[in-house]
Amino acid sequence: MERSSSAPGISRRTFLAMASLAVGSGALAACVPAPASDAVSEAQAPEVLTGKIADIVLRQIGTGVSGVNEIAEQAKADLGFTIQMTALGTDENNQRAITQPGSYDIFDGEYFSLPLVVPSGALQGLDVSRIEAFEKIAPTFTTGKLTEDSVIAQGTAPHKVMFLPERNSTSFAEGMTNWATLIPTIYNADTLGYRPDMVEKVPTSWADLFDPVYRGRTAILDIPSIGIMDAAMVVESAGLMEFGDKGNMTREELDGITDILKEQKALGQFRAFWKTFDESVNLMVSGEVVLQSMWSPAVTAVKAQGIPCVYQPLAEGYRAWGGGIGISSGVEGMELDAAYDYINWWNSGFAGGFVGRQGYYSAIPENARLFMSEAEWDFWYEGKPASEPMVDPFGTELEPEGAVRDGGSFWERMGRVVVWNSVMDEQDYLVQKWNEFIAA
Amino acid sequence: MSEYDITLQGVSKEYGSLLAVDDVCLALPRGSYCCLLGPSGCGKTSILRMIAGHEEITRGRIWLRAEDISHLPPAKRNTSMMFQDYALFPHMTAAENIAFGLKMRGVRKRARLQQAEEMLAKIGLTEYRRHLPAQLSGGQRQRVALARALITEPAVLLLDEPLSALDRFVRIQLRGELQRMQKELGMTFIHVTHSQEEALALADLVVVMDQGRIQQVGSPQEVYGHARTSFVASFIGDHNVLTGRVEGGAGDARDPLRLTGRSGQTFRLLGRIPEGQQVEFAVRADHAAVQPDDADIGTDTDLNVLRGTAAVVEYAGFQVRIRVDTDAQEHFTVYVPEQRFAARPVTLDQRVKVTWKIRDTDLLDTEPVH
Amino acid sequence: MPFGLAAPYTLVLIVFLLLPVALIVTISFWHYSNFVMTPAFVLDNYRLVFSPVYLKTYLNTFRFAVLVWFFALAIGFPVAYFLSFEIRTTRIRMTLFLLCTVPFLTSNIIRSISWIPFLGRNGLLNGGLLFLGLIEEPLDIFLFSSVSVVISMVHLYTLFMVVPIFNNMMRIDHSLLEAARDNGASDWGVIRHVILPLTSPGIMIGTIFVLALVLGDFATVRLMSGGQAASAGLAIRNMISSTQYPPAAANAVVLLAVTLLVVGGLLRFVDVQKEL
């Protein structure tokens, strides 16, 4: 990898890998660099220890967004141990995390899963002092405010579930502590996607999802906790209802929104409800649906098939989600050290640059920038016109020269997040109401 | 009105390239018991099934009385068939099986069960009305099948090997019942069988078939007494078939035909055949006598004589079966009544002569009749 | 020794069937709130299952089951009839039968998905109807509707109806059909009075297969309705997804009971021992 050799971050990484390889026991704190000479001199039996490091396999479960083989391969090259990735759906990922903590070492999940996962005690608190450059992590995750004057968004904003009082706590801390649940990796702001070639009216507001001009051509997500959020954005912007907190609705609010959804379903407003990434892509590509809630890479996937698709910024702002990685409660010793190394590696730049070229944001943008070209950084983070065609890490051209990212820069997009993917207090009731909506 | 119940006019049946029935003509008088007799594959079952309508005819026509039924569906033919394994509906009781034909004709339930009840009484199975076929014996099933076939009062009853699935004792018993029923009903029965014994016992008219053709049609007496072809003679059994070359003779009683057999012996028989031709003739086993070669048979010029060795001497109750082998390796079987054998016994390997009357020598056709 | 032969499978059944079912039944009575379940004996979960929403879901599931059953029978019976009675040679019969099973070499999901391009707005069906002038604009009703769910399930499950019926029909002596015709039965009469009663065990077994499959289905319903239709299995899946295990367990217990009741009811009409 050309980029690796020239990037300043990697030499440090390589060094760290070497150091932990040499010490082996894990006595080395990740944030305290040890002189290289010490590390070498302390190596009593490098061959044996090398074998041990190479023998470490960290089993990662994740939703596939960040569970990319290329990242695992680079991690192995940089760190010396193996990351074994299992891609699961959001639901399966949560289930596995909660019910079989012994079956994985690394949990790669979304923040809004934490209210489900943390009470089970399946994850161990992460020692913030062992996390490199923790202070550089986008403040969205630590304080909830991207900038000083940002308004804290509704829903399960990551900072609300970011910290634990103690290492083994099963409930969240109020403010910042030394124990974190997940270390953020990637995140994004979601909105509606539409087919510019198949609509006569350009959507400008979430309310347009209920506009009769799109009747029978719209879709929303059939994952209750996310779907309800999109629905809430629509209902609120259409002036049909107001919510105290869209990310944490009351029973009355759930009743109200379900009635509205049932009404729209009866009118034939929806073509389908999708549950997986592929479904959303296929609905759009086939033209069965022309306006729907989508994930950013799904829009990219539609465009990659030569079908025009716009990820439209809307007047009300974005619904955001964030993902991170944590460590299973049972991981200890050398594996635990390796897990910390892996977490630190994630935000050291390579992975951030990799997902950045897919349109996701990295928790430490400045590190990701080290692994992106000037043109890539300008396009994906700065919202400037592409000075050259944008190519994703797999070689597919996503955007031609001169294109501008839908919604603009990182700050414009992440600064306009109005709600985060959530798990509500009334989650049980939500699922019940959602089933009622589907059955209607 | 036709005096025949069934008439076949040049009927043929082909299965692909196989000619199963070859241009058959046959007329069955009303109220007759007809047996189609022959080995398996001779076409007898095909004929029956063509009459029933379960098989399309390839060529020819079939008449039931004055009606051309060649292409009518089975149900429209006024015939009824009793199947080889009876084909009783396994899910219906005996009574329901019997009433099935009426049900298909739209007879109301009460009426049809009433009639079935009468049938059950007639065949002596009243107590078995609620039994399923699987719960009945072979003979009982046969009777139910018969009742089912008869309840719609067809003009002709077709029976496909109706007795072959039964053991000997039941077979003989049911044979009698079939015969009695046919006489009582005065209905034409067409009965397919490969058993000559069955055919002779039951039939008014025996139709012997081979290779898709009729070999002989006649009363049991005619067929048994005067087999027309060597096939009939050997299939009916109890016949000896010999060959010879015509040497001369006018062929009447005063000047019979003279033939030379394979072993050089001279035979005489009645019939008009040109000199030099090779012919076959048959002699019934019970029409011949056996005596030691040196026995005096007088100067009776009315007898044919065949010399040979007693190769088999079997006691068979009221008669003794003797097989005589000639020097030319021809076999000739003679049935000798027990008492006559006792009076003039023959021992194994003894040189013997077989004698029979000229008029008991049946000249056989070389071509089958049509 | 005879017990020894049965022991491995008995063990498998105990470990992988009886124990899990017992566990599900147990959990169905547990208390549950806010993502945490605690051992208890409460009927709340069952109260939820018997609420109007889920009763409606069950009704919808039965609607699918009955429709799919009907079409599977209406299509499967003639197919079995054709194979058994119209085809004369065993070789062609077995060839055609194997042909019927070819689609089963691919997964259920793929066979479902392959209907989507056919039934869609720009699909072959709409295209064909437009071409024939039967409709003026594409119809949405074919896809992401009950129609597409039923079509896909019928496609998936008809073979389960064909096989037992075919098996039954192959055992019917053809002379029975001739005997029926001889006694005056029409073609329909032969089917109605002879073939149908004699294949009713096969129909029952096929019915059990189809009903059990449809009642438990969630993937096809979700996929083919575009998420717009509900079924009992789908409701269970949604609950599991949200880690609502106790109500999901209660739902599973009810679904299991309902399925067993249906199957048990049908088994009263058929002597399975005789059919094996």
Side-chain angles (χ1 to χ4, degrees):
Chain A
M1 294 228 79
E2 251 180 352
R3 237 191 282 271
S4 311
S5 56
S6 62
I10 216 62
S11 58
R12 180 179 159 69
R13 277 259 50 80
T14 317
F15 160 74
L16 265 179
M18 274 169 55
S20 57
L21 175 153
V23 176
S25 67
L28 183 79
C31 52
V32 183
S37 57
D38 285 2
V40 172
S41 67
E42 277 173 35
Q44 297 301 313
E47 313 78 22
V48 177
L49 288 170
T50 303
K52 277 193 169 177
I53 286 290
D55 280 351
I56 292 179
V57 174
L58 292 182
R59 299 158 300 162
Q60 173 177 333
I61 57 168
T63 48
V65 179
S66 50
V68 182
N69 280 330
E70 281 78 355
I71 291 178
E73 280 164 23
Q74 187 62 39
K76 183 171 171 61
D78 290 348
L79 299 172
F81 51 80
T82 303
I83 309 291
Q84 193 184 76
M85 286 176 171
T86 305
L88 301 167
T90 304
D91 302 331
E92 285 88 355
N93 199 37
N94 291 345
Q95 272 171 53
R96 180 88 168 264
I98 294 165
T99 58
Q100 303 168 52
S103 74
Y104 63 93
D105 304 309
I106 303 286
F107 170 71
D108 167 16
E110 290 181 40
Y111 277 88
F112 83 100
S113 298
L114 292 177
L116 298 176
V117 180
V118 167
S120 71
L123 299 179
Q124 56 176 286
L126 304 174
D127 184 350
V128 169
S129 65
R130 292 184 68 175
I131 306 299
E132 281 174 61
F134 186 81
E135 69 288 350
K136 289 188 194 168
I137 288 175
T140 305
F141 294 91
T142 50
T143 65
K145 293 181 166 206
L146 183 64
T147 57
E148 287 297 317
D149 50 346
S150 293
V151 177
I152 291 178
Q154 295 178 345
T156 308
H159 72 281
K160 295 181 192 163
V161 293
M162 180 76 186
F163 297 101
L164 300 171
E166 298 295 335
R167 184 173 183 273
N168 295 320
S169 300
T170 53
S171 57
F172 302 106
E174 286 295 323
M176 285 173 66
T177 69
N178 191 45
W179 300 100
T181 48
L182 300 180
I183 295 303
T185 49
I186 61 177
Y187 51 100
N188 209 343
D190 286 352
T191 180
L192 299 180
Y194 78 102
R195 284 277 299 266
D197 58 329
M198 291 182 84
V199 297
E200 291 179 3
K201 179 194 156 196
V202 173
T204 54
S205 156
W206 283 85
D208 285 327
L209 200 79
F210 283 177
D211 191 322
V213 301
Y214 307 113
R215 181 151 294 165
R217 306 283 185 275
T218 71
I220 58 173
L221 216 67
D222 183 19
I223 296 174
S225 45
I226 310 180
I228 199 78
M229 215 65 76
D230 285 342
M233 292 293 285
V234 176
V235 167
E236 199 173 53
S237 60
L240 299 171
M241 262 184 87
E242 278 182 20
F243 300 92
D245 180 352
K246 288 188 286 299
N248 199 6
M249 298 181 198
T250 61
R251 286 196 170 219
E252 291 68 35
E253 286 169 341
L254 286 169
D255 286 342
I257 194 170
T258 307
D259 286 344
I260 294 170
L261 282 171
K262 279 156 74 173
E263 192 183 307
Q264 289 293 328
K265 186 182 176 189
L267 284 171
Q269 183 68 15
F270 305 112
R271 181 63 175 141
F273 306 129
W274 59 265
K275 206 156 197 152
T276 66
F277 178 90
D278 294 342
E279 275 183 286
S280 71
V281 171
N282 290 334
L283 286 172
M284 210 63 163
V285 167
S286 65
E288 296 292 338
V289 164
V290 298
L291 176 65
Q292 65 176 352
S293 54
M294 275 180 106
W295 292 333
S296 161
V299 175
T300 308
V302 173
K303 285 199 265 192
Q305 293 189 39
I307 308 276
C309 186
V310 173
Y311 207 33
Q312 181 73 351
L314 301 169
E316 297 79 10
Y318 293 89
R319 172 181 54 72
W321 59 271
I325 47 184
I327 303 178
S328 178
S329 54
V331 179
E332 55 186 20
M334 241 164 66
E335 277 79 13
L336 184 60
D337 294 333
Y340 272 106
D341 286 346
Y342 175 60
I343 289 173
N344 284 325
W345 176 84
W346 234 100
N347 282 331
S348 69
F350 173 81
F354 189 95
V355 299
R357 282 187 290 282
Q358 293 174 286
Y360 298 116
Y361 297 128
S362 171
I364 306 181
E366 57 190 282
N367 282 354
R369 188 175 187 174
L370 301 172
F371 286 80
M372 294 172 88
S373 71
E374 197 67 30
E376 285 168 346
W377 173 262
D378 284 350
F379 177 82
W380 294 111
Y381 276 86
E382 301 285 350
K384 295 177 184 165
S387 58
E388 60 188 44
M390 288 295 119
V391 177
D392 78 3
F394 309 105
T396 308
E397 182 182 319
L398 301 180
E399 300 284 355
E401 193 179 326
V404 178
R405 181 166 195 179
D406 298 330
S409 72
F410 170 68
W411 293 272
E412 282 175 281
R413 296 179 83 249
M414 287 312 294
R416 289 187 56 232
V417 170
V418 289
V419 67
W420 287 82
N421 281 359
S422 303
V423 169
M424 305 183 184
D425 294 339
E426 290 290 352
Q427 168 78 2
D428 300 354
Y429 192 64
L430 161 62
V431 172
Q432 197 184 327
K433 293 306 280 185
W434 190 264
N435 279 338
E436 187 179 321
F437 163 50
I438 296 298
Chain B
M1 268 191 70
S2 167
E3 64 200 280
Y4 296 106
D5 264 350
I6 289 288
T7 309
L8 305 186
Q9 261 185 349
V11 171
S12 294
K13 176 72 194 175
E14 287 169 11
Y15 298 103
S17 60
L18 180 80
L19 188 57
V21 175
D22 182 8
D23 197 20
V24 163
C25 295
L26 184 65
L28 304 178
R30 184 163 298 180
S32 57
Y33 199 122
C34 168
C35 279
L36 298 178
L37 174 66
S40 62
C42 73
K44 59 188 191 297
T45 302
S46 295
I47 287 183
L48 193 78
R49 292 171 54 79
M50 284 191 284
I51 296 172
H54 295 309
E55 209 83 73
E56 275 292 311
I57 59 179
T58 309
R59 276 185 300 280
R61 295 170 105 181
I62 299 177
W63 302 76
L64 193 148
R65 296 179 187 163
E67 189 186 4
D68 182 351
I69 60 166
S70 309
H71 301 288
L72 290 181
K76 297 260 166 69
R77 292 192 177 205
N78 204 14
T79 60
S80 198
M81 183 145 165
M82 204 178 110
F83 291 82
Q84 185 164 6
D85 295 316
Y86 316 132
L88 293 177
F89 305 122
H91 56 295
M92 297 182 197
T93 63
E96 286 168 344
N97 261 289
I98 293 171
F100 186 79
L102 298 176
K103 186 178 182 179
M104 291 302 102
R105 276 166 179 72
V107 178
R108 284 178 181 280
K109 187 164 186 176
R110 177 179 284 192
R112 66 178 190 249
L113 288 179
Q114 177 65 35
Q115 285 192 55
E117 201 60 35
E118 286 165 19
M119 270 292 180
L120 279 163
K122 213 178 277 183
I123 58 174
L125 290 179
T126 304
E127 295 110 87
Y128 295 90
R129 63 170 81 84
R130 292 220 172 83
H131 284 54
L132 292 173
Q135 298 166 312
L136 298 172
S137 73
Q140 289 168 335
R141 275 183 238 171
Q142 200 257 14
R143 284 183 220 169
V144 172
L146 186 63
R148 182 179 69 180
L150 290 175
I151 199 160
T152 51
E153 295 172 353
V156 176
L157 181 68
L158 307 163
L159 305 102
D160 186 6
E161 305 256 12
L163 302 171
S164 61
L166 305 169
D167 63 50
R168 187 177 155 78
F169 178 77
V170 182
R171 185 158 65 217
I172 290 173
Q173 187 194 346
L174 290 177
R175 199 160 77 188
E177 284 181 24
L178 277 181
Q179 195 168 35
R180 179 152 13 87
M181 189 157 289
Q182 190 263 337
K183 295 299 169 225
E184 275 173 26
L185 296 169
M187 183 191 290
T188 295
F189 276 30
I190 306 179
H191 176 143
V192 160
T193 179
H194 59 267
S195 158
Q196 50 92 8
E197 180 193 343
E198 207 168 286
L200 297 177
L202 285 168
D204 300 320
L205 194 68
V206 178
V207 178
V208 187
M209 296 195 59
D210 183 41
Q211 294 182 4
R213 293 174 172 215
I214 292 179
Q215 295 284 328
Q216 186 166 1
V217 180
S219 68
Q221 293 77 8
E222 282 170 332
V223 171
Y224 192 80
H226 300 286
R228 275 201 129 110
T229 67
S230 62
F231 171 80
V232 176
S234 46
F235 190 77
I236 289 285
D238 309 338
H239 283 69
N240 295 291
V241 177
L242 297 172
T243 56
R245 206 162 61 85
V246 179
E247 302 292 351
D252 54 20
R254 260 183 296 163
D255 182 13
L257 284 179
R258 290 187 306 283
L259 314 173
T260 308
R262 276 166 61 191
S263 49
Q265 286 124 327
T266 299
F267 305 111
R268 288 165 296 165
L269 53 84
L270 307 177
R272 296 179 190 281
I273 302 288
E275 199 178 309
Q277 196 163 330
Q278 201 75 22
V279 297
E280 287 182 313
F281 58 95
V283 181
R284 263 167 62 171
D286 59 329
H287 283 167
V290 181
Q291 45 265 304
D293 200 20
D294 52 1
D296 181 16
I297 54 164
T299 54
D300 191 348
T301 55
D302 202 20
L303 290 179
N304 278 320
V305 179
L306 180 75
R307 286 191 167 74
T309 309
V312 177
V313 180
E314 280 177 351
Y315 178 66
F318 62 92
Q319 64 188 13
V320 176
R321 205 155 37 224
I322 301 167
R323 200 184 88 200
V324 176
D325 291 1
T326 68
D327 299 340
Q329 292 309 310
E330 291 165 298
H331 304 310
F332 197 105
T333 301
V334 184
Y335 300 157
V336 182
E338 188 186 15
Q339 284 174 352
R340 192 163 359 135
F341 182 81
R344 253 201 293 190
V346 169
T347 55
L348 205 60
D349 291 338
Q350 190 180 1
R351 285 297 290 178
V352 294
K353 59 187 173 196
V354 182
T355 58
W356 67 91
K357 292 196 169 88
I358 289 175
R359 62 179 155 82
D360 288 336
T361 313
D362 286 329
L363 184 64
L364 297 172
D365 289 347
T366 43
E367 280 294 307
V369 294
H370 265 181
Chain C
M1 194 52 211
F3 296 108
L5 289 173
Y9 192 58
T10 309
L11 209 66
V12 166
L13 281 183
I14 289 173
V15 174
F16 294 105
L17 184 69
L18 288 185
L19 285 182
V21 168
L23 203 61
I24 288 171
V25 172
T26 309
I27 291 178
S28 72
F29 292 104
W30 282 16
H31 177 71
Y32 167 79
S33 109
N34 291 326
F35 327 119
V36 182
M37 54 184 186
T38 39
F41 187 85
V42 292
L43 294 173
D44 297 358
N45 304 315
Y46 286 95
R47 227 164 272 142
L48 183 66
V49 175
F50 289 106
S51 65
V53 176
Y54 290 100
L55 287 181
K56 196 172 172 187
T57 303
Y58 272 85
L59 273 182
N60 199 41
T61 311
F62 274 105
R63 192 170 62 100
F64 283 137
V66 169
L67 283 170
V68 172
W69 168 81
F70 173 80
F71 288 110
L73 182 60
I75 295 168
F77 189 88
V79 168
Y81 181 92
F82 176 79
L83 287 175
S84 313
F85 298 119
E86 300 289 330
I87 304 294
R88 299 279 167 188
T89 63
T90 314
R91 222 183 55 159
I92 295 178
R93 182 180 298 130
M94 289 329 285
T95 309
L96 288 177
F97 180 72
L98 287 177
L99 220 60
C100 288
T101 65
V102 163
F104 283 74
L105 300 176
T106 58
S107 82
N108 275 9
I109 301 290
I110 289 175
R111 279 184 295 147
S112 291
I113 288 177
S114 54
W115 278 103
I116 293 178
F118 179 80
L119 298 171
R121 182 175 297 123
N122 304 314
L124 284 176
L125 183 58
N126 267 317
L129 291 175
L130 282 171
F131 177 78
L132 294 174
L134 294 174
I135 53 175
E136 283 175 8
E137 53 182 63
L139 297 179
D140 282 349
I141 184 74
F142 299 130
L143 186 60
F144 302 140
S145 61
S146 296
V147 175
S148 52
V149 173
V150 171
I151 287 178
S152 173
M153 284 189 174
V154 166
H155 173 217
L156 291 179
Y157 301 142
T158 294
L159 192 69
F160 292 95
M161 191 63 103
V162 172
V163 171
I165 296 178
F166 176 62
N167 180 41
N168 254 199
M169 283 182 176
M170 287 302 291
R171 294 197 232 164
I172 295 179
D173 187 346
H174 284 216
S175 67
L176 291 182
L177 314 188
E178 288 183 346
R181 263 180 222 118
D182 209 74
N183 277 280
S186 59
D187 287 349
W188 167 241
V190 175
I191 292 172
R192 165 79 184 75
H193 297 291
V194 181
I195 296 176
L196 217 48
L198 289 177
T199 49
S200 61
I203 293 173
M204 283 301 161
I205 290 174
T207 302
I208 289 169
F209 279 152
V210 170
L211 290 187
L213 286 167
V214 176
L215 289 179
D217 183 280
F218 62 87
T220 317
V221 172
R222 220 214 76 75
L223 202 62
M224 297 309 293
S225 75
Q228 300 206 71
S231 78
L234 196 52
I236 293 174
R237 203 193 124 86
N238 279 344
M239 288 174 161
I240 293 176
S241 301
S242 317
T243 69
Q244 301 184 345
Y245 298 121
N251 233 321
V253 169
V254 171
L255 181 61
L256 182 67
V258 167
T259 308
L260 287 178
L261 272 176
V262 170
V263 170
L266 290 171
L267 280 176
R268 291 178 67 102
F269 297 104
V270 47
D271 184 355
V272 170
Q273 263 182 333
K274 206 174 102 186
E275 297 309 312
L276 292 178

